Amino acid sequence: MFELNKNRLEQGSNKWLVQEAKGEGYKKDIPPFTVADTDFLVPEFLVDGWKTYLENTSLGYGATTDAYYDAVIKWYQTRHNSKIEKSWITCTTGVISAISNILKAFTDVGDSVLIMSPVYHLFYIVLDNLDRKKVIHNLKVDDQQSYAIDFEKLEHQIKNEDVKVILLCSPHNPVGKVWSKDELLKISQLADQYNVLVIADEIHNDLILEGSKHTVYTELNEVSRNHVFLCTSPSKTFNLAGLKSANVVIPNEVLRDKYNASNDKLISGNVHVNTMGIIATQIVYEKGHAYLDALLSLIKDNYNYIDKYLKTKHPKIKVSPLEGTYLLWLDFRSLKIAEETLVESLNKESLYFEQGSIFGENGTGFMRMNIATTKEVIEKAMYRLSDVLSQGENLWKKLD
């Protein structure tokens, strides 16, 4: 089911650009483990669905149909036991553009927005670009590398920093944490108590590994539905990021009307949603259940392999428990190597991970690894990592 596109260097892949830019002396025989997309070829059921559509249509300006909304609603009912109403759904070009548009509509320059670090680096960029004040809640981490929210500190920050919006990543990228229902309820209670809006980025919410349970934010209770913007997309699940198609689910009518009115004034509004992205979303939500089940099994197997390999061969490298997403959070701090030196030594051997520091100051010394690839690639990467580490201090002294 998962056939690897083995070389995207000449296909215009954003993820592969970092490898393409390297000159002589750098191996280029392992796909990068950086950007959160996959290198799998487009699944056959989607190709067939597109073919049927293209053979019977024209490509003028498109719009969402009842069949589209039915597909989204049924997917959430089946996969998440979550009830979403058609009127709550607004189609948009992407989760990050939606977050930006929500913040433009509901906050002003200088307003405080809380994020939980380490977190997806584009959160920082969006807030900086909009001149919003970043209130950074540093997540706690225990001896098992599991992350948690310090709710006493969180309430203090919300109250004393006059937070207007909590920008929530659920599941949490990059640490692979699936927030429990109790944790989400505490966030909801604080949001209600202090009149704070919640933007819930749930772009990874289909990617929940066995043993963990994700709760869609709108399913918490009526209180949660009155202050949330639920941002979703099939782009991570089915590797559709290039099609620019996502949804914002807004149960509260007042918030929804204000968002839509503001969005209509922006060039990034609904009219610019990609027609083929709309069709792809409908197809994968109608026919993608078996594909997702197989993908989750692949991710779990890769995680188990890496976790066992590193615990056996390189116990100083700590692995955070992967509960959701296909993004593995690796702690290299015990090696006591400067991050840039470590990155350079890995790149020489065709190992490209995301530097932890881009996710926040408390990410320095970590690496994020995209493991949504074949077992063959994962095994090769681990062997190559062992090669790098076996060279040890001699190599790092040269690079320093």
Side-chain angles (χ1 to χ4, degrees), residues 154-212:
L154 183 70
E155 181 173 8
H156 178 83
Q157 289 177 300
I158 291 171
K159 181 178 179 180
N160 290 278
E161 298 283 354
D162 192 23
V163 168
K164 303 297 185 185
V165 175
I166 296 172
L167 182 46
L168 176 68
C169 194
S170 180
H172 197 88
N173 169 15
V175 303
K177 174 74 175 184
V178 174
W179 303 116
S180 70
K181 185 175 183 179
D182 285 344
E183 289 170 315
L184 293 173
L185 280 170
K186 288 179 182 178
I187 293 171
S188 177
Q189 290 164 2
L190 289 172
D192 182 57
Q193 180 179 348
Y194 292 101
N195 195 29
V196 173
L197 297 175
V198 175
I199 303 174
D201 176 357
E202 294 199 18
I203 197 169
H204 294 275
N205 69 9
D206 293 324
L207 301 167
I208 308 301
L209 273 62
E210 184 181 0
S212 298

Side-chain angles (χ1 to χ4, degrees), residues 272-295:
H272 295 278
V273 174
N274 185 329
T275 298
M276 295 304 292
I278 292 172
I279 298 304
T281 297
Q282 180 181 331
I283 293 169
V284 297
Y285 279 165
E286 289 175 344
K287 301 181 179 180
H289 292 278
Y291 180 93
L292 174 55
D293 291 341
L295 179 63

